[in-house]
Structure formats: C-alpha cells, structure tokens
Amino acid sequence: MRDLQLPGRSVVMGRNGAAATSHHLSTLTALEILRRGGNAADAAIAACAVQCVVEPGSTGIGGDNFVLFAPAGTDLAKGGKVYGLNGSGRAPKGLTADFLLQQGMKEIGLTSVHAVTIPGAVDSWCKLNQRFGSMPLAELLQPAIQHAENGFAVTERVATDWARNEGKLKADANSARAWLKDGRAPKAGEVFRQPEHAKVFREIAAKGRDGFYTSWVAEDIVEYLRSLGGTHALEDFATQEAFWVDPIMTRYRGVDVLEIPPNGVGITTLLMLNILSGFDLSKYDPVGVERFHIEAEATRLAFQMRDAYVADPAFAEVPVEKILSASFADELRSRIDMKKAMPVLGPAGATTYRDTVYISVVDEKGNACSFINSLFWPYGTGLSSPKTGVLLQNRGAGFRVDPTHPNCVAPHKRPLHTIIPAMALKDGKPWLCFGVMGGGFQPVGQSHVLTNIIDYGMNVQEAIDCARGFYQMNRFEAERGIREDVLKGLAALGHPIHMAEMPHGGGQAIMIDAENGVLQAGSDPRKDGCALAY
C-alpha cells in the first residue's frame, strides 16, 4: 500500500466477540444489547431507535429502512443466503401524476405535503425483529424512550446540521414547538428532550407496528397531512408493509458484493464496480488524478443508467440482468478516455445534502446486519403532526411527475430510493458489512471504500478516512483532503472543480476475519460515529 498520509484514527479490533459502528450513543446502545444476549438484528434496531432521538435530522420513525442480514454460518456455497428487507414507503393511494399536473406541479418539492410517502421504518423493524431478533421489540426501544424523556446532550455535528435547518423547522408550527428550543436550534452541549416522541415510542413498544400504523399516531399524522392538502388516508398507513427480497450481486476481483434490488439504487454501485473492474486501479495513486478521473467517469455513466431505469419493479420494467451484464459494463467503459473527460451527459446525482444513518453490527455468533434508516433530506419535509412530533420524510420528491418515465409517481408506488446497505462476501461467506451514507453519493462512497480496501490494501478505517470526490450536477465536488495539484490535473482533463461545502457522506464498516476470529471495525470522522467491539 502507498503512503497515504491519512488522518490518525485507530482501527477497532474484536476477538471472538462482537462489533458495532454508528453514532456514539447508538453504538453504546448496540453493545449493551449484545452484552445482554441480543443479536445483531436486536442491536441494530435498538441503536437506530436511539439515533432517531439523538440525530433527528438524519433519521426518524417517519422515514424508511433497508436491511441486509446474514445469519451466522452463512455460506452461499452450501445453500446459505443473505436476506434483504425493503422497508420503503409507498405514495398515498390518492396521489397521481394527473392530480399534480392539474395543479401545475411538474415536480414534487422537498417540503411539499405530496413528498410525504408512508413511513416504512417501523414495519421494517418489526419484520426484522420477528424473523431474526431474539429480544422483544419493547425492550429494544427502551433506550430511545429514556433518551427522549430524560434528554440527551447535543453533539457538535448534530448541532451544526440542526442550525442549518432551523428555517425549515420554523416553517411548520408543530415542528417549531417539538424540535426547537426557545425558537432556535439547540446548541452543542445543550440537553434536549422530546416528550412527544417518547409517547410514540411507548405506543410502538406496547402494540408493535399497530402502535404506529393503526393507532392515534396514524390518525394524527393523516389528519394533519390532509389539512395541508395531502391525499393520505388511514388505509395507506394500515396497509404499509416491508417485504423480503433476494439481494442482487456482482463480483469484483473475487469478492461478491450484495445490494437491495430496485427500487433501491444499490444496482448503481454494482454497475460502477463492473465498470471499474476493467481498470487496474492499484497502479494509480489512491488520491491522485487518474483514480478520481476514472471514478468520476464511472459515476457519470452509472448515474445515467440510474436516472433512466431505476423505479419500482411492481410498476415498471427494470432490466436488472442487462444492467449487471459484462457486456453492458464493457460498452460503458469504452466511453472513458484517460486523456479527457466525457462531454456533458446530463446531471449525475443531485444535491448531496440528504441525511441518513447507517449501522453495521456483527455479533459473537457471526450474525451480520447491514442496516440503514433515513428521512431523505435533513429533517425530511420539516413537517410533523400536532400530537406526535414525528418528522415526516420527503422521499416522494424522488418521484418524477412525467407519465412517460418509469419512476413517475403513482398510487401505492415506491419511489427511486437512495438508501443502500451493502455486504461483501469472500468464498461465499460474509467478509465486509458496510455502508456509506449521503443520499445520491452512496453508490460512489461504497465503491470508493470497497476499492480502497481491495485495490489499495487499506484497512477499514483508512478506507473510510480517505479523501472523497463526487461528480454531480456536471462538476467534480472535492473534499478539502484532495491535493491542489490533483484538482488542477482533473481540471486539465475537463472536470469543472467545485469545493464541497460539507464532507461527502459518512461510512461504517466491519470486516470479518473468520479464519482468525477477529472483527476489524471503522467509523467515519465526517460524522459523530464510532466503532466499538468487545
């Protein structure tokens, strides 16, 4: 491996034990659940519930959830399998493209009531708990309830994100009351309490999914959304259901990489890896011109595919087999010229400030859980109902309002979805349980971290720390860690350069060394995360 001059963070190692990576409070929660005999699924649910309280801009029970779960002993060569869970919410039954077009709406705005798809997270947690959990859901929610009722100290990164979105929260009277302190965003170090949120968690703890989807909680949310002109109905909540899926997969340098199939955009990661597989990245500087040029061009090509094809397969044909074929990757790769950037192709990605939380847990028995939960953009729509304080996602903004497009909004349809948990297997066995947050950046982040490990021999922490760039909106958005001479070299190839206002995403990963019984974990310094093991 080259001398990378990376930030000094140590890798967390666990021997014959368990590991978890996420926000520091949720990671502590995960380890406590594991120590009490819970497994990876239990720990991930409990940790995420805590994050819904302590990191409200990034996630919440008003959002969605995707999971990849590998039971202990999983071996594809012996008939084992990794299970995928799609917990994305549907559009209301009453919402159609014609309805929006008649109102002069050619797109769904980020704070529009029509951007609120039915929250899928709670049902997804319940399904994961029922199938693979070992502890009662009510017990798993207790740490979140205690943090909401008794309060928590706001961390610096969370305070920064809160302040950036103060205006959004002020725009909704319910959110201003529930999510601001004396009319302003809470500051780092201040204690914040959420009694309304605690009541909702207690309802879910007592009644399971019905405590959210068929109780006073759903009634309050629906009544408020309809008062704003939404088409939401109680039936939409009562019928919301997560479902199990078979992951899609590609092989990169002998490693099998698994993703949730569309409507998720994990297929974008797999296509990027297929394109990158035709280059010997290891001969280039990992933070040099050639590596970033290849990655940027692969991003542009893969995102063009995403924008053209990814949709809810129950409503539109998504040619997964074609997209993942070697011939498709070969054809796209042939367009990459090492001496110059491709002509403008159209937008690759979209504005990056979408927030998500990703949690990776591997328990002492070997169960591995790759778990992601999101409100889409920070604080979702910024809307919350009067009695619940539940912030509602704006995932519906991911729809098109174009009847000719496969991702056009339609009743009970799921939008193109950016949250993508990942898992990589060696010799048919789980090897890397990982994810990289950051909205549209996620396929790029996953590809970047994985190639850092496979092509450059970095450990998981080095791979996560390594400087990132994202080609989006027809420009290369560079983190400050990329050298000036590299930026000049990329500009000379024809890449418009823009310095990223905030870091790109945030990653968590656990590497499983089955031979030595060791877990190697890393967490991104770009977020308030940490990695812990015992």
Side-chain angles (χ1 to χ4, degrees):
M1 192 180 88
R2 296 171 186 266
D3 181 9
L4 301 178
Q5 300 296 312
L6 294 171
R9 286 192 99 191
S10 59
V11 174
V12 171
M13 295 283 197
R15 170 90 169 103
N16 293 326
T21 68
S22 186
H23 182 284
H24 72 282
L25 284 177
S26 64
T27 307
L28 288 168
T29 298
L31 250 64
E32 179 60 25
I33 293 296
L34 292 170
R35 284 175 171 150
R36 284 161 49 190
N39 64 19
D42 300 320
I45 293 168
C48 186
V50 167
Q51 280 191 273
C52 290
V53 175
V54 304
E55 200 173 347
S58 295
T59 197
I61 51 178
D64 286 345
N65 169 250
F66 282 13
V67 181
L68 287 173
F69 190 86
T74 294
D75 187 340
L76 301 189
K78 296 181 178 179
K81 66 180 293 185
V82 175
Y83 296 81
L85 183 58
N86 183 322
S88 57
R90 300 179 183 274
K93 188 176 181 180
L95 187 63
T96 67
D98 286 344
F99 172 81
L100 296 174
L101 290 169
Q102 287 171 9
Q103 298 183 57
M105 296 177 62
K106 296 183 179 180
E107 62 181 23
I108 298 175
L110 295 171
T111 58
S112 168
V113 67
H114 303 303
V116 180
T117 46
I118 310 306
V122 172
D123 187 72
S124 187
W125 297 2
C126 291
K127 281 195 166 49
L128 178 64
N129 180 247
Q130 289 162 5
R131 187 164 190 174
F132 292 114
S134 64
M135 294 175 66
L137 181 68
E139 190 172 347
L140 302 178
L141 298 182
Q142 291 309 308
I145 292 169
Q146 295 306 312
H147 282 299
E149 288 184 338
N150 300 329
F152 61 94
V154 177
T155 60
E156 291 183 356
R157 175 59 199 266
V158 170
T160 297
D161 294 338
W162 219 318
R164 289 170 61 90
N165 291 277
E166 189 177 281
K168 176 187 280 190
L169 296 172
K170 283 182 177 179
D172 181 81
N174 300 322
S175 295
R177 184 189 68 254
W179 295 102
L180 296 178
K181 188 169 186 174
D182 301 324
R184 58 166 175 80
K187 299 176 182 179
E190 289 187 324
V191 174
F192 193 78
R193 294 176 177 84
Q194 305 164 323
E196 293 172 347
H197 220 194
K199 290 179 183 177
V200 177
F201 272 114
R202 287 196 179 279
E203 189 77 1
I204 299 168
K207 301 177 182 177
R209 76 169 305 281
D210 289 346
F212 187 85
Y213 294 99
T214 61
S215 72
W216 63 269
V217 176
E219 291 171 359
D220 190 56
I221 293 172
V222 169
E223 182 178 356
Y224 184 58
L225 292 175
R226 291 189 72 88
S227 75
L228 299 177
T231 64
H232 306 75
L234 290 174
E235 179 190 3
D236 295 322
F237 277 72
T239 57
Q240 170 61 31
E241 188 172 8
F243 58 101
W244 295 97
V245 297
D246 291 327
I248 53 177
M249 180 175 70
T250 197
R251 177 162 290 187
Y252 183 80
R253 316 235 198 268
V255 173
D256 293 323
V257 185
L258 278 63
E259 300 279 357
I260 298 288
N263 59 312
V265 300
I267 194 170
T268 315
T269 303
L270 302 184
L271 177 56
M272 279 194 68
L273 291 172
N274 286 346
I275 295 170
L276 294 174
S277 68
F279 296 94
D280 182 5
L281 296 181
S282 65
K283 71 180 183 181
Y284 301 119
D285 182 343
V287 286
V289 174
E290 294 87 355
R291 193 272 177 98
F292 281 121
H293 171 65
I294 293 168
E295 190 174 84
E297 298 294 78
T299 298
R300 299 170 71 189
L301 293 165
F303 276 67
Q304 265 207 320
M305 176 284 301
R306 183 203 76 165
D307 293 342
Y309 292 114
V310 175
D312 186 340
F315 288 78
E317 181 181 356
V318 184
V320 172
E321 186 174 345
K322 170 191 171 182
I323 292 167
L324 296 182
S325 68
S327 59
F328 189 62
D330 290 345
E331 193 277 324
L332 294 180
R333 192 186 309 109
S334 69
R335 303 181 193 178
I336 298 177
D337 185 339
M338 291 300 295
K339 296 181 180 179
K340 62 180 179 180
M342 290 180 288
V344 174
L345 300 175
T351 305
T352 52
Y353 301 121
R354 305 170 184 180
D355 278 315
T356 301
V357 298
Y358 172 77
I359 300 166
S360 179
V361 185
V362 178
D363 64 35
E364 61 184 355
K365 293 182 179 178
N367 297 295
C369 188
S370 186
F371 186 107
I372 195 162
N373 215 89
S374 177
L375 290 170
F376 198 30
W377 286 64
Y379 299 89
T381 52
L383 303 174
S384 57
S385 62
K387 298 177 184 177
T388 69
V390 173
L391 286 161
L392 299 166
Q393 66 183 345
N394 53 4
R395 187 58 63 175
F399 280 122
R400 301 289 185 94
V401 187
D402 175 2
T404 67
H405 197 280
N407 187 38
C408 181
V409 64
H412 276 193
K413 188 174 182 179
R414 301 173 195 267
L416 175 150
H417 219 292
T418 59
I419 62 174
I420 50 173
M423 195 172 292
L425 287 72
K426 276 188 176 180
D427 301 321
K429 301 174 184 178
W431 168 67
L432 190 69
C433 185
F434 74 111
V436 179
M437 300 160 273
F441 175 72
Q442 291 180 60
V444 184
Q446 287 188 3
S447 301
H448 192 69
V449 168
L450 194 63
T451 54
N452 282 342
I453 294 171
I454 295 174
D455 292 291
Y456 294 110
M458 300 183 196
N459 66 41
V460 290
Q461 189 62 60
E462 290 171 328
I464 290 168
D465 288 348
C466 187
R468 300 170 183 164
F470 183 21
Y471 195 102
Q472 62 158 348
M473 306 303 288
N474 292 318
R475 65 189 188 186
F476 183 82
E477 297 203 348
E479 288 187 334
R480 291 194 296 272
I482 301 177
R483 302 188 309 267
E484 185 65 27
D485 64 296
V486 174
L487 297 179
K488 289 180 179 179
L490 289 168
L493 291 175
H495 296 290
I497 304 298
H498 180 80
M499 298 309 296
E501 183 181 355
M502 297 284 282
H504 291 309
Q508 317 283 351
I510 300 173
M511 183 180 290
I512 304 164
D513 181 350
E515 182 178 348
N516 294 306
V518 171
L519 302 177
Q520 181 188 125
S523 180
D524 207 316
R526 296 166 179 83
K527 294 278 191 175
D528 284 328
C530 71
L532 295 175
Y534 75 90

